[in-house]
Short mmCIF file of all heavy atoms in Angstrom, two decimals:
data_model
loop_
_atom_site.label_atom_id
_atom_site.label_comp_id
_atom_site.label_asym_id
_atom_site.label_seq_id
_atom_site.Cartn_x
_atom_site.Cartn_y
_atom_site.Cartn_z
N PRO X 1350 27.15 82.82 -88.69
CA PRO X 1350 27.43 81.89 -89.79
C PRO X 1350 28.70 81.10 -89.52
O PRO X 1350 29.66 81.62 -88.93
CB PRO X 1350 27.62 82.83 -90.99
CG PRO X 1350 26.91 84.09 -90.61
CD PRO X 1350 27.08 84.22 -89.13
N TYR X 1351 28.71 79.86 -89.93
CA TYR X 1351 29.89 79.01 -89.74
C TYR X 1351 30.85 79.19 -90.92
O TYR X 1351 30.44 79.16 -92.08
CB TYR X 1351 29.48 77.53 -89.65
CG TYR X 1351 28.94 77.15 -88.29
CD1 TYR X 1351 27.63 77.43 -87.92
CD2 TYR X 1351 29.76 76.51 -87.35
CE1 TYR X 1351 27.15 77.09 -86.68
CE2 TYR X 1351 29.28 76.17 -86.10
CZ TYR X 1351 27.97 76.46 -85.77
OH TYR X 1351 27.49 76.12 -84.52
N SER X 1352 32.11 79.36 -90.60
CA SER X 1352 33.13 79.48 -91.64
C SER X 1352 33.54 78.09 -92.11
O SER X 1352 33.28 77.08 -91.44
CB SER X 1352 34.36 80.21 -91.08
OG SER X 1352 34.99 79.42 -90.08
N ASP X 1353 34.20 78.04 -93.26
CA ASP X 1353 34.71 76.75 -93.75
C ASP X 1353 35.70 76.15 -92.75
O ASP X 1353 35.77 74.93 -92.57
CB ASP X 1353 35.39 76.93 -95.11
CG ASP X 1353 34.38 77.28 -96.21
OD1 ASP X 1353 33.17 77.04 -96.02
OD2 ASP X 1353 34.81 77.82 -97.26
N LYS X 1354 36.46 77.02 -92.09
CA LYS X 1354 37.42 76.55 -91.08
C LYS X 1354 36.72 75.83 -89.94
O LYS X 1354 37.16 74.78 -89.48
CB LYS X 1354 38.24 77.73 -90.57
CG LYS X 1354 39.27 77.35 -89.51
CD LYS X 1354 40.02 78.58 -89.03
CE LYS X 1354 41.03 78.22 -87.95
NZ LYS X 1354 41.77 79.43 -87.47
N HIS X 1355 35.60 76.40 -89.48
CA HIS X 1355 34.85 75.77 -88.40
C HIS X 1355 34.24 74.44 -88.85
O HIS X 1355 34.20 73.47 -88.09
CB HIS X 1355 33.75 76.70 -87.91
CG HIS X 1355 34.25 77.84 -87.09
ND1 HIS X 1355 33.71 79.10 -87.16
CD2 HIS X 1355 35.27 77.91 -86.20
CE1 HIS X 1355 34.36 79.90 -86.32
NE2 HIS X 1355 35.31 79.20 -85.73
N LEU X 1356 33.76 74.40 -90.10
CA LEU X 1356 33.18 73.16 -90.62
C LEU X 1356 34.24 72.07 -90.72
O LEU X 1356 33.98 70.90 -90.41
CB LEU X 1356 32.54 73.42 -91.98
CG LEU X 1356 31.35 74.39 -91.98
CD1 LEU X 1356 30.90 74.66 -93.40
CD2 LEU X 1356 30.19 73.83 -91.16
N ALA X 1357 35.44 72.46 -91.13
CA ALA X 1357 36.54 71.49 -91.18
C ALA X 1357 36.86 70.96 -89.79
O ALA X 1357 37.14 69.77 -89.61
CB ALA X 1357 37.77 72.14 -91.81
N GLN X 1358 36.79 71.85 -88.81
CA GLN X 1358 37.07 71.44 -87.43
C GLN X 1358 36.00 70.46 -86.92
O GLN X 1358 36.31 69.51 -86.20
CB GLN X 1358 37.14 72.66 -86.52
CG GLN X 1358 37.64 72.33 -85.11
CD GLN X 1358 37.77 73.57 -84.25
OE1 GLN X 1358 37.80 74.71 -84.75
NE2 GLN X 1358 37.84 73.38 -82.95
N ILE X 1359 34.75 70.69 -87.30
CA ILE X 1359 33.69 69.76 -86.92
C ILE X 1359 33.96 68.38 -87.52
O ILE X 1359 33.79 67.35 -86.85
CB ILE X 1359 32.32 70.29 -87.39
CG1 ILE X 1359 31.94 71.54 -86.59
CG2 ILE X 1359 31.23 69.23 -87.24
CD1 ILE X 1359 30.70 72.25 -87.10
N LEU X 1360 34.39 68.35 -88.77
CA LEU X 1360 34.73 67.08 -89.42
C LEU X 1360 35.83 66.35 -88.67
O LEU X 1360 35.70 65.16 -88.35
CB LEU X 1360 35.18 67.33 -90.86
CG LEU X 1360 34.10 67.43 -91.94
CD1 LEU X 1360 34.74 67.87 -93.25
CD2 LEU X 1360 33.42 66.08 -92.13
N THR X 1361 36.91 67.05 -88.39
CA THR X 1361 38.05 66.39 -87.74
C THR X 1361 37.73 66.01 -86.30
O THR X 1361 38.19 64.96 -85.81
CB THR X 1361 39.30 67.29 -87.78
OG1 THR X 1361 39.00 68.57 -87.20
CG2 THR X 1361 39.76 67.50 -89.22
N ASN X 1362 36.93 66.82 -85.61
CA ASN X 1362 36.54 66.47 -84.24
C ASN X 1362 35.66 65.23 -84.22
O ASN X 1362 35.75 64.39 -83.32
CB ASN X 1362 35.78 67.62 -83.58
CG ASN X 1362 36.69 68.79 -83.23
OD1 ASN X 1362 37.91 68.71 -83.38
ND2 ASN X 1362 36.10 69.87 -82.76
N THR X 1363 34.79 65.12 -85.22
CA THR X 1363 33.88 63.97 -85.30
C THR X 1363 34.62 62.70 -85.70
O THR X 1363 34.24 61.59 -85.28
CB THR X 1363 32.76 64.26 -86.31
OG1 THR X 1363 32.12 65.50 -85.98
CG2 THR X 1363 31.71 63.15 -86.30
N LEU X 1364 35.69 62.87 -86.47
CA LEU X 1364 36.44 61.71 -86.99
C LEU X 1364 37.83 61.65 -86.36
O LEU X 1364 38.84 61.64 -87.06
CB LEU X 1364 36.54 61.81 -88.51
CG LEU X 1364 35.20 61.72 -89.26
CD1 LEU X 1364 35.37 62.12 -90.71
CD2 LEU X 1364 34.61 60.32 -89.15
N GLU X 1365 37.88 61.61 -85.05
CA GLU X 1365 39.17 61.52 -84.36
C GLU X 1365 39.89 60.23 -84.77
O GLU X 1365 39.30 59.17 -84.87
CB GLU X 1365 38.95 61.53 -82.84
CG GLU X 1365 38.47 62.86 -82.30
CD GLU X 1365 38.36 62.85 -80.78
OE1 GLU X 1365 38.76 61.83 -80.18
OE2 GLU X 1365 37.88 63.84 -80.21
N GLY X 1366 41.18 60.36 -85.03
CA GLY X 1366 41.97 59.20 -85.44
C GLY X 1366 42.09 59.05 -86.94
O GLY X 1366 42.90 58.25 -87.42
N LEU X 1367 41.30 59.83 -87.68
CA LEU X 1367 41.38 59.78 -89.14
C LEU X 1367 42.20 60.97 -89.64
O LEU X 1367 41.99 62.10 -89.21
CB LEU X 1367 39.98 59.82 -89.75
CG LEU X 1367 39.90 59.71 -91.28
CD1 LEU X 1367 40.33 58.32 -91.73
CD2 LEU X 1367 38.48 60.00 -91.75
N LYS X 1368 43.12 60.73 -90.54
CA LYS X 1368 43.95 61.79 -91.09
C LYS X 1368 43.40 62.25 -92.44
O LYS X 1368 43.01 61.42 -93.27
CB LYS X 1368 45.39 61.32 -91.25
CG LYS X 1368 46.10 61.05 -89.92
CD LYS X 1368 47.55 60.65 -90.15
CE LYS X 1368 48.28 60.43 -88.83
NZ LYS X 1368 49.69 60.04 -89.03
N PHE X 1369 43.37 63.56 -92.64
CA PHE X 1369 42.92 64.15 -93.90
C PHE X 1369 44.10 64.81 -94.62
O PHE X 1369 44.95 65.43 -93.97
CB PHE X 1369 41.87 65.23 -93.65
CG PHE X 1369 40.50 64.73 -93.29
CD1 PHE X 1369 40.18 64.48 -91.97
CD2 PHE X 1369 39.54 64.52 -94.27
CE1 PHE X 1369 38.91 64.04 -91.63
CE2 PHE X 1369 38.28 64.08 -93.94
CZ PHE X 1369 37.95 63.83 -92.62
N ASP X 1370 44.14 64.71 -95.94
CA ASP X 1370 45.00 65.60 -96.71
C ASP X 1370 44.46 67.01 -96.53
O ASP X 1370 43.24 67.23 -96.61
CB ASP X 1370 44.97 65.22 -98.19
CG ASP X 1370 45.90 64.06 -98.51
OD1 ASP X 1370 46.53 63.54 -97.58
OD2 ASP X 1370 45.97 63.68 -99.69
N THR X 1371 45.33 67.97 -96.30
CA THR X 1371 44.89 69.33 -96.01
C THR X 1371 44.03 69.90 -97.12
O THR X 1371 42.96 70.48 -96.86
CB THR X 1371 46.11 70.24 -95.77
OG1 THR X 1371 46.88 69.71 -94.68
CG2 THR X 1371 45.66 71.64 -95.42
N GLU X 1372 44.46 69.76 -98.37
CA GLU X 1372 43.70 70.31 -99.48
C GLU X 1372 42.33 69.66 -99.61
O GLU X 1372 41.34 70.32 -99.93
CB GLU X 1372 44.48 70.15 -100.79
CG GLU X 1372 45.70 71.05 -100.89
CD GLU X 1372 46.37 70.94 -102.24
OE1 GLU X 1372 45.86 70.17 -103.10
OE2 GLU X 1372 47.39 71.60 -102.46
#
Side-chain angles (χ1 to χ4, degrees):
Y1351 281 81
S1352 67
D1353 292 341
K1354 180 181 178 180
H1355 286 143
L1356 296 174
Q1358 189 177 343
I1359 291 172
L1360 274 172
T1361 55
N1362 288 355
T1363 307
L1364 295 168
E1365 290 184 6
L1367 183 68
K1368 293 183 178 180
F1369 285 88
D1370 279 2
T1371 302
E1372 289 185 1

